[in-house]
Amino acid sequence: MAAASAMARRAASWPRFLLSRAFAATVGAAASERPPKRVLVPVAAGTEPVEAAATADVLNRAGARVTVATADPAGDHGLLVEAAYGIKLVADGRVADLEGEAFDLIALPGGMPGSANLRDCKVLEKMVKKQAEQGGLYAAICAAPAVTLAHWGLLKGLKATCHPSFMDRFTAEIIPVNSRVVVDRNAVTSQGPATAIEYALALVEQLYGKEKSEEVAGPLYIRPQPGADYVIDEFNPVEWKCSGIPQVLVPVANGSEEMEALNLIDILHRAGANVTVASVEDKLQIATRRHKFNLIADVMIEEAAKREFDLIVMPGGLPGAQKFSSTKELIDLLKKQAESNKAYGAICASPAYVLEPHGLLKGKKAASFSPMAHLLTDQSTCDSRVVVDGNLITSKAPGSATEFALAIVHKLFGREKAVSIAKELIFM
Ligand SMILES: *[C@@H]1O[C@H](CO)[C@@H](O)[C@H](O)[C@H]1NC(C)=O
Ligand SMILES: *[C@@H]1O[C@H](CO)[C@@H](O)[C@H](O)[C@H]1NC(C)=O
């Protein structure tokens, strides 16, 4: 700690270009010859967390060095950001401290009032304007193209899109396009949480080329037909019963996949479920897999274990799934859930790493992350994107995380609710 701050003090007296070269050299030497591309994802109170996470996660997979920085005014909460839908994140730093640093991309997540809070950050406004003037790549999704970029005058004369409910805020100089992702010159815009992966892959293509974008897309298992309805492969259909507001437990661990965790929490929250996020680590703050995106859980698993839930559903990601598997409180809860015919589920690595070894897939059909499907006893449905077998629900990968959460909404609240949320997310 002392050494680090001494280095920071010394570094503070260096000219900016020397500083960035020194840092680039450290990181670049380990990875490849060239320094990694730098990406800034600013966040603020009310930011849509699925959009922030998809941008950070996917660009990280491409090899970019992503900085998630808070644009909120400095306050008592340090780097904690109260994102939308009750999700608490911890940023890597503050936008105010990054002025003058060079980024290859600045990408603004949406959400309200998140987009308005980004708009009101003067330092961010200056940075994005400079980025645009210098021909650098900048991007925004959901409410942010209209509320933030258009407000700053940075979409003038360009083709752009945004969430349909904000389209009327586009000024006359902007050419509105009703498309999931729009690239025009150095500005990339997109529509909503369910277009966030497509948007992030378009950003990867702009920075690294088409081949890299396809390489990153592979293990995400993105939807074959964006905009199509969700599909549930259902066996032994039963009604998932709840008395009143559905009580849902989402366990999280260090190394949980952020897009999978945040889609579950966000979408179940939108549907009106009471979502409890429980840490299986030794503290509430956990670090997710890709970005080391820090998430603050609501309770520790020991606390959650005293309660009953209508559904327990796990994100994937390694080593998160392995940690779930070795957490006795969680495994006991899951076994109790299965024995009492209550709903439980898992996505990606978790069916193979948590459910299978504890006998929780016995006699059941399940989906799995394809490269791990050989670990399942019954592999007959492991190519499906979402499988429901009685009270069990499983899914495949980050690219099916939205479908997975919508299928849960369908089972808990009915088709009408699931479709209305799917539309809000620009899933279909
Ligand atoms: C929601 O869950 C919390 C525990 O996480 C519980 O204390 C609270 O009573 C629940 N609220 C409702 C409305 O079910
Ligand atoms: C889990 O991540 C948190 C947040 O980064 C860290 O403080 C904690 O030490 C980690 N726990 C383990 C067991 O690695």
Side-chain angles (χ1 to χ4, degrees):
M1 210 58 209
S5 66
M7 173 158 173
R9 261 200 311 280
R10 216 177 316 132
S13 63
W14 293 351
R16 282 282 177 197
F17 72 95
L18 273 183
L19 181 63
S20 49
R21 244 195 252 168
F23 279 4
T26 326
V27 181
S32 67
E33 293 307 311
R34 253 178 294 160
K37 307 238 187 215
R38 292 196 65 193
V39 176
L40 174 62
V41 179
V43 292
T47 284
E48 169 47 63
V50 167
E51 293 162 356
T55 311
D57 184 327
V58 171
L59 280 147
N60 232 292
R61 287 169 184 255
R65 184 147 78 88
V66 182
T67 303
V68 175
T70 172
D72 283 340
D76 304 336
H77 301 294
L79 296 173
L80 180 82
V81 174
E82 304 248 6
Y85 304 104
I87 294 168
K88 297 187 247 7
L89 306 174
V90 183
D92 305 324
R94 303 199 151 276
V95 170
D97 297 332
L98 297 173
E99 197 179 350
E101 286 195 33
F103 289 93
D104 298 282
L105 162 67
I106 303 178
L108 315 181
M112 283 301 273
S115 300
N117 288 331
L118 294 184
R119 174 197 68 204
D120 295 340
C121 174
K122 292 292 169 218
V123 175
L124 183 63
E125 178 176 353
K126 242 169 52 192
M127 288 174 76
V128 184
K129 282 185 169 166
K130 194 168 144 213
Q131 183 85 357
E133 271 162 29
Q134 297 180 340
L137 193 63
Y138 60 104
I141 184 168
C142 199
V147 173
T148 319
L149 289 186
H151 184 87
W152 290 338
L154 293 179
L155 293 177
K156 275 189 191 146
L158 296 178
K159 291 196 191 94
T161 194
C162 71
H163 195 280
S165 61
F166 287 89
M167 217 55 162
D168 59 359
R169 299 210 195 177
F170 270 3
T171 51
E173 305 111 310
I174 304 168
I175 306 150
V177 180
N178 182 19
S179 204
R180 297 173 70 82
V181 182
V182 175
V183 181
D184 193 1
R185 267 178 271 166
N186 50 335
V188 180
T189 49
S190 185
Q191 295 188 314
T195 67
I197 293 183
E198 294 151 62
Y199 160 76
L201 287 170
L203 295 172
V204 170
E205 187 176 335
Q206 292 300 307
L207 287 179
Y208 297 94
K210 185 138 194 78
E211 204 176 312
K212 181 56 120 186
S213 150
E214 280 166 5
E215 180 194 315
V216 172
L220 294 174
Y221 295 92
I222 52 175
R223 296 160 75 197
Q225 278 183 292
D229 203 345
Y230 58 86
V231 176
I232 307 175
D233 292 330
E234 187 158 19
F235 302 86
N236 307 307
V238 292
E239 204 183 315
W240 289 6
K241 286 200 197 69
C242 318
S243 46
I245 298 173
Q247 306 291 320
V248 179
L249 177 66
V250 179
V252 289
N254 287 350
S256 287
E257 218 295 330
E258 51 262 60
M259 288 192 271
E260 293 165 357
L262 292 177
N263 265 285
L264 282 168
I265 303 167
D266 185 305
I267 292 172
L268 289 169
H269 204 110
R270 284 177 190 252
N274 187 16
V275 183
T276 301
V277 180
S279 167
V280 301
E281 301 290 353
D282 52 5
K283 49 179 128 165
L284 290 176
Q285 183 168 336
I286 64 105
T288 56
R289 170 157 166 69
R290 288 290 162 182
H291 180 62
K292 310 281 175 230
F293 216 74
N294 288 300
L295 199 64
I296 313 266
D298 302 316
V299 294
M300 298 301 295
I301 191 70
E302 294 78 11
E303 194 57 38
K306 296 177 190 152
R307 292 187 47 213
E308 289 196 7
F309 295 91
D310 298 304
L311 166 70
I312 301 176
V313 62
M314 292 174 281
L318 295 178
Q322 287 145 321
K323 181 70 185 192
F324 290 157
S325 195
S326 64
T327 302
K328 188 177 183 302
E329 290 87 349
L330 177 59
I331 298 304
D332 287 348
L333 270 178
L334 285 164
K335 287 186 171 162
K336 214 172 71 190
Q337 201 78 358
E339 279 157 19
S340 46
N341 293 315
K342 292 214 260 169
Y344 63 103
I347 182 169
C348 202
S350 288
Y353 278 82
V354 191
L355 300 180
E356 176 75 30
H358 291 286
L360 291 159
L361 290 185
K362 217 182 223 158
K364 300 252 188 202
K365 302 273 183 215
S368 167
F369 186 53
S370 298
M372 297 170 182
H374 65 281
L375 297 169
L376 304 192
T377 308
D378 180 349
Q379 296 165 22
S380 59
T381 52
C382 58
D383 285 329
S384 292
R385 296 180 67 80
V386 180
V387 176
V388 173
D389 188 342
N391 53 335
L392 170 70
I393 185 162
T394 48
S395 185
K396 200 179 189 63
S400 69
T402 306
E403 285 145 278
F404 183 50
L406 287 171
I408 293 171
V409 174
H410 178 111
K411 288 299 293 181
L412 290 175
F413 297 89
R415 164 89 180 152
E416 203 179 318
K417 180 67 124 188
V419 169
S420 107
I421 292 177
K423 292 197 166 145
E424 192 177 297
L425 299 169
I426 320 298
F427 180 84
M428 57 193 244

